[in-house]
Amino acid sequence: LLRAINDVNQHINRESNCNALVKKTVDRLAETQIFIEIFIGYKSQPSNDDILPLGHYGVHDIERWKFSLGDENFGVDCVKSAAREMKTVVVNGNGNLCTKCQDECIHKDHPTIIIPLEHRGNLEGILGVCLVPEHVIYKEEISLLEEVSRDLTVAMQKLSDDKLHTEREKRFEAALLAAKSGAWEWNIKSGLLAWSRGLERIFGFDKDEMDSTRDALLQRIHIEDRKEVERVIDACMKGNNDYDVEYRVILPDDSIRWIREAGDILFDANGSPERMMAIVSDISKRKELTQN
């Protein structure tokens, strides 16, 4: 079991997909041959009380592991008890808290361990295992399973957060494109620049032509406006004002486009500038109307 837990931790550190991580966890635990049943369930939605299966191995019907904290009649007692009390529940296969399978299961008297998957005080899921009949459970085995449950929960929460973050980024980028705007984030210490797809269009770069540095954008700025842009950046880094500047860029066909950048700067714990972010908008039409 210890070797299996170590292998699962390797999967946790390397796997970038929740479903694949759960499957690898279940498969590796099953290889120990000390379990006749392994179940990992997770919340279907953050605001939902239903725990649905993500991974399963064993002799029982997967339906018996499903439950809802919001429905007294849905789910078996031992699983709901662990979930409600946020504590590991151990049953011996013939008690009142059993999964009610003793009349149907050919493997009688199997001990069961149910561990709540908890994150920041909230129930996120459940890990349940039934061990081979008459297996004597050592407290070290429970500790190992609780340890991997904690690590698995943290990993799955991070993967879920990363997925949500990616989806938000895609929606944000789509909104920028619709508004004919773009955005960049500048790592001041490394000099590297990350940008949205709309930024290439605004500055007149072909796809994948734009260099990943702030200098790549500065080179497109009209020579008469560069000092003013650099002055505003310097003042922002010193904390004297917000970043908000208008300037001209020269496109490859020598036409001129008016740009407005507005953003902010983030400082590290020592008060040194660390990152700078800005929304970039094409204001050429507004400038043309103003000048006329």
Side-chain angles (χ1 to χ4, degrees):
L1 180 59
L2 179 58
R3 286 195 296 269
I5 297 298
N6 287 335
D7 290 343
V8 168
N9 282 328
Q10 292 298 315
H11 294 317
I12 287 173
N13 293 329
R14 297 172 183 171
E15 186 54 61
S16 59
N17 179 276
C18 284
N19 291 335
L21 175 57
V22 170
K23 184 180 186 306
K24 289 178 179 179
T25 299
V26 170
D27 289 347
R28 184 62 187 92
L29 291 177
E31 289 175 5
T32 63
Q33 297 184 348
I34 65 174
F35 304 107
I36 61 170
E37 186 88 7
I38 304 167
F39 173 85
I40 297 176
Y42 219 68
K43 272 189 177 181
S44 56
Q45 298 290 337
S47 59
N48 201 320
D49 287 328
D50 296 343
I51 304 295
L52 301 179
L54 283 184
H56 177 253
Y57 157 87
V59 298
H60 297 148
D61 185 345
I62 194 173
E63 294 295 320
R64 75 177 67 255
W65 290 99
K66 297 179 183 179
F67 73 97
S68 173
L69 289 178
D71 187 346
E72 289 290 335
N73 300 317
F74 181 37
V76 293
D77 294 340
C78 60
V79 180
K80 289 194 290 187
S81 176
R84 289 197 180 99
E85 297 179 16
M86 290 287 220
K87 292 181 180 179
T88 298
V89 169
V90 179
V91 291
N92 60 14
N94 54 19
N96 292 331
L97 282 178
C98 185
T99 55
K100 299 178 182 176
C101 59
Q102 62 266 33
D103 294 333
E104 304 171 21
C105 181
I106 60 172
H107 301 280
K108 293 185 181 295
D109 300 323
H110 56 268
T112 301
I113 303 173
I114 301 118
I115 303 171
L117 303 181
E118 176 265 338
H119 182 71
R120 295 179 178 175
N122 297 315
L123 178 73
E124 299 296 338
I126 207 85
L127 184 148
V129 296
C130 296
L131 294 96
V132 294
E134 300 179 2
H135 178 91
V136 176
I137 299 177
Y138 291 93
K139 63 180 180 181
E140 290 82 5
E141 292 175 322
I142 297 176
S143 296
L144 285 172
L145 290 170
E146 288 177 334
E147 179 183 335
V148 78
S149 297
R150 287 191 296 269
D151 293 342
L152 184 64
T153 306
V154 171
M156 291 181 65
Q157 195 67 31
K158 182 180 183 302
L159 292 175
S160 297
D161 290 345
D162 289 347
K163 181 180 178 181
L164 181 60
H165 179 68
T166 300
E167 291 174 350
R168 285 174 177 167
E169 283 186 333
K170 289 180 179 178
R171 288 197 295 269
F172 177 61
E173 189 169 276
L176 289 175
L177 286 171
K180 296 182 179 180
S181 299
W184 53 256
E185 180 175 332
W186 179 29
N187 186 318
I188 297 170
K189 295 182 179 179
S190 69
L192 295 179
L193 188 77
W195 63 85
S196 68
R197 285 185 298 139
L199 206 63
E200 293 175 326
R201 178 191 57 78
I202 290 174
F203 281 85
F205 288 99
D206 291 332
K207 186 177 180 181
D208 300 325
E209 177 191 0
M210 192 168 138
D211 190 12
S212 59
T213 63
R214 176 65 178 158
D215 289 340
L217 298 187
L218 291 174
Q219 291 303 314
R220 285 285 165 100
I221 297 176
H222 196 294
I223 192 167
E224 295 178 4
D225 296 339
R226 287 182 191 173
K227 285 188 178 180
E228 174 62 13
V229 173
E230 291 173 350
R231 184 194 68 78
V232 175
I233 291 174
D234 185 60
C236 186
M237 286 191 179
K238 293 177 180 177
N240 294 334
N241 63 284
D242 295 332
Y243 185 65
D244 195 339
V245 63
E246 296 181 0
Y247 58 84
R248 293 163 291 175
V249 297
I250 302 177
L251 303 181
D253 62 0
D254 292 329
S255 63
I256 291 177
R257 178 173 288 163
W258 274 96
I259 301 295
R260 182 193 177 194
E261 289 186 345
D264 203 356
I265 192 167
L266 300 179
F267 296 86
D268 62 19
N270 298 318
S272 300
E274 184 175 44
R275 287 186 298 146
M276 192 171 184
M277 296 164 288
I279 299 293
V280 183
S281 302
D282 180 353
I283 60 170
S284 300
K285 288 185 178 181
R286 176 169 67 80
K287 280 289 185 180
E288 183 180 346
L289 291 172
T290 302
Q291 291 170 356
N292 292 337

